[in-house]
Amino acid sequence: MAMARNADIPQFGVLSGVKVVHATLSTAGPFAAEMMAEMGADVVWIENPFVLDPNRFAKAPSVGMAAESERRNQRSISLDIPTPEGKNILFSLIKEADVFLESSKGGQFEKWGLTDEVLWEINPKLVIAHMSGFGLTGDPTFVSRGCYDPIAQAFSGMLSLQGFPDRDPNPAQYLVTDYYAGMTAATAILGALYQVQKTGIGESIDIAQYEVAFRCQANRGPDYLNFKIQAEREGSRNQDIAGWGVYQCKDDNYVYLLILGGAIVKKAVKIFGLEYGKEDFPERTGLVLHGTHAAELLEEKIAEFCALYTAKEMEELFWPQGVPCCRVLTYADILDHPHYAARGSIVEWEAVEGSPYEGQKLKGPAFPARFKRNPSRIWRGCPTIGMDNEAVLKEAGFTSDEIAALYEKKVIYKAPPAAEKYKIVK
């Protein structure tokens, strides 16, 4: 597919008719925009003409595959925002938009004179979402700092929980706080859009990546805040409860076993041939704590079974009887898995013209929420840099001569086709 006009966007999904403009890069911001694009919104992505988005880069043969996965259904305009012409173009884009999303160091847009109030003068109903590592307010020495996923993990306390207790902290993979922040932003934006529908008054949202990560740690943070209990790194097994964690099997592959809950404990104990309803496993036992004789018995039986069975056999033995037990799947396992196939968890789309993968069908994860009446869909792959400059600008009221002048001043930019440059092996 070549340059796309608004009229080329198929009408589908629960966000059909919603227009989103975003000036974000890397993962968190674009993922929020991607969620809306896959629900049917018209999403225009403003790229920096001087700095390549990190997700567009990788070693061959996976050139820009992160962008191919996270920029589907979007249109690209490459624009130097802080120039007078760039600001004028931004104003033209947001005039008819419902959402403007940006990700930068806290206060960057204010430094450019693009405050919320200035944007609301152009569009009073606009939902504005600011995404940054440390937020727009707080200690000035932190507000102005850049941030990436492992930095957010470190600052939020999350990193202190990852890995084994006798080793260095090990960041959770892969880019989890980016995706947490992206999901949070998308949720907050949709809530704001609902409010705007009722009031006609725009909203501004301040999303700090570290706060999202701090929020997504279950009881670990509150345990310390209230009781000064510092959780230890657990490694691959729960440090409090037996039968909860990763176990290596006969074929050297792994399963994750989770014996938790009254009904599950009862079923697991019977599978292992232990006595349920007696001293070690009395009626209504909901979990088995380490440090008890019951835990010793349970862990011994798990070790015996793992020595006898492969990971697949363990899964087939426990799961049908109601005990959660799952093989640790690789991507090769996922590709051939019948449930992934039956649900359509993997989708295909065609790479756009000029992409390193031009002419190829690419595969990736499907949209993770299934709408019965207004399903999501993929109508386009990741656009090349500035691919839709002319279409987007003409929709905003710019003439061909004005667009040519913007190219001449280097306010906008369009990248040459990448397919020949990278010579991707099909």
Side-chain angles (χ1 to χ4, degrees), residues 19 21 85-97 122 392-393 395-398:
K19 183 170 182 179
V21 177
E85 297 89 349
K87 291 178 182 178
N88 184 47
I89 292 171
L90 177 65
F91 294 155
S92 298
L93 295 179
I94 67 169
K95 185 176 182 180
E96 303 299 328
I122 306 299
V392 171
L393 290 174
E395 290 166 11
F398 290 83

Side-chain angles (χ1 to χ4, degrees), residues 58-64 354-358 360 416-426:
K59 293 181 180 179
S62 179
V63 175
S355 160
Y357 305 95
E358 180 178 341
Q360 296 185 54
E420 289 302 316
K421 175 181 177 182
Y422 290 109
K423 297 181 180 178
I424 303 300
V425 178
K426 297 183 181 181

Side-chain angles (χ1 to χ4, degrees), residues 72-128:
R72 305 180 302 200
N73 286 9
Q74 301 187 32
R75 298 193 290 164
S76 169
I77 175 172
S78 187
L79 170 66
D80 188 5
I81 293 177
T83 62
E85 297 89 349
K87 291 178 182 178
N88 184 47
I89 292 171
L90 177 65
F91 294 155
S92 298
L93 295 179
I94 67 169
K95 185 176 182 180
E96 303 299 328
D98 299 288
V99 177
F100 175 61
L101 170 66
E102 65 89 9
S103 64
S104 60
K105 296 176 183 178
Q108 182 62 66
F109 270 66
E110 287 191 0
K111 292 178 182 177
W112 291 342
L114 298 171
T115 64
D116 292 341
E117 288 69 28
V118 168
L119 299 183
W120 282 326
E121 287 179 9
I122 306 299
N123 182 350
K125 296 182 179 181
L126 188 67
V127 172
I128 306 167

Side-chain angles (χ1 to χ4, degrees), residues 198-242:
K198 294 195 298 181
T199 66
I201 301 172
E203 181 60 274
S204 177
I205 307 164
D206 175 8
I207 300 162
Q209 188 171 353
Y210 87 88
E211 287 184 328
V212 178
F214 183 48
R215 177 63 181 82
C216 296
Q217 296 175 38
N219 64 305
R220 298 306 192 251
D223 275 351
Y224 188 84
L225 297 175
N226 292 284
F227 311 113
K228 298 299 184 288
I229 299 172
Q230 174 61 51
E232 294 184 0
R233 295 191 288 280
E234 295 189 350
S236 59
R237 295 188 189 173
N238 190 285
Q239 298 299 297
D240 298 320
I241 302 172

Side-chain angles (χ1 to χ4, degrees), residues 204-315:
S204 177
I205 307 164
D206 175 8
I207 300 162
Q209 188 171 353
Y210 87 88
E211 287 184 328
V212 178
F214 183 48
R215 177 63 181 82
C216 296
Q217 296 175 38
N219 64 305
R220 298 306 192 251
D223 275 351
Y224 188 84
L225 297 175
N226 292 284
F227 311 113
K228 298 299 184 288
I229 299 172
Q230 174 61 51
E232 294 184 0
R233 295 191 288 280
E234 295 189 350
S236 59
R237 295 188 189 173
N238 190 285
Q239 298 299 297
D240 298 320
I241 302 172
W244 181 341
V246 175
Y247 296 87
Q248 189 173 16
C249 300
K250 176 183 176 181
D251 58 350
D252 292 330
N253 291 317
Y254 297 88
V255 293
Y256 202 103
L257 190 63
L258 212 171
I259 302 175
L260 180 68
I264 292 172
V265 171
K266 182 177 181 179
K267 293 171 183 176
V269 166
K270 290 183 176 180
I271 292 172
F272 288 127
L274 298 169
E275 289 188 286
Y276 183 80
K278 302 294 184 178
E279 181 179 356
D280 288 315
F281 304 98
E283 294 282 349
R284 295 187 295 278
T285 298
L287 52 85
V288 181
L289 290 172
H290 281 301
T292 64
H293 186 246
E296 293 177 7
L297 291 175
L298 187 59
E299 290 291 341
E300 285 176 5
K301 284 296 183 180
I302 294 173
E304 289 177 13
F305 271 59
C306 287
L308 291 173
Y309 299 109
T310 66
K312 190 172 188 297
E313 290 168 343
M314 285 282 287
E315 185 182 70

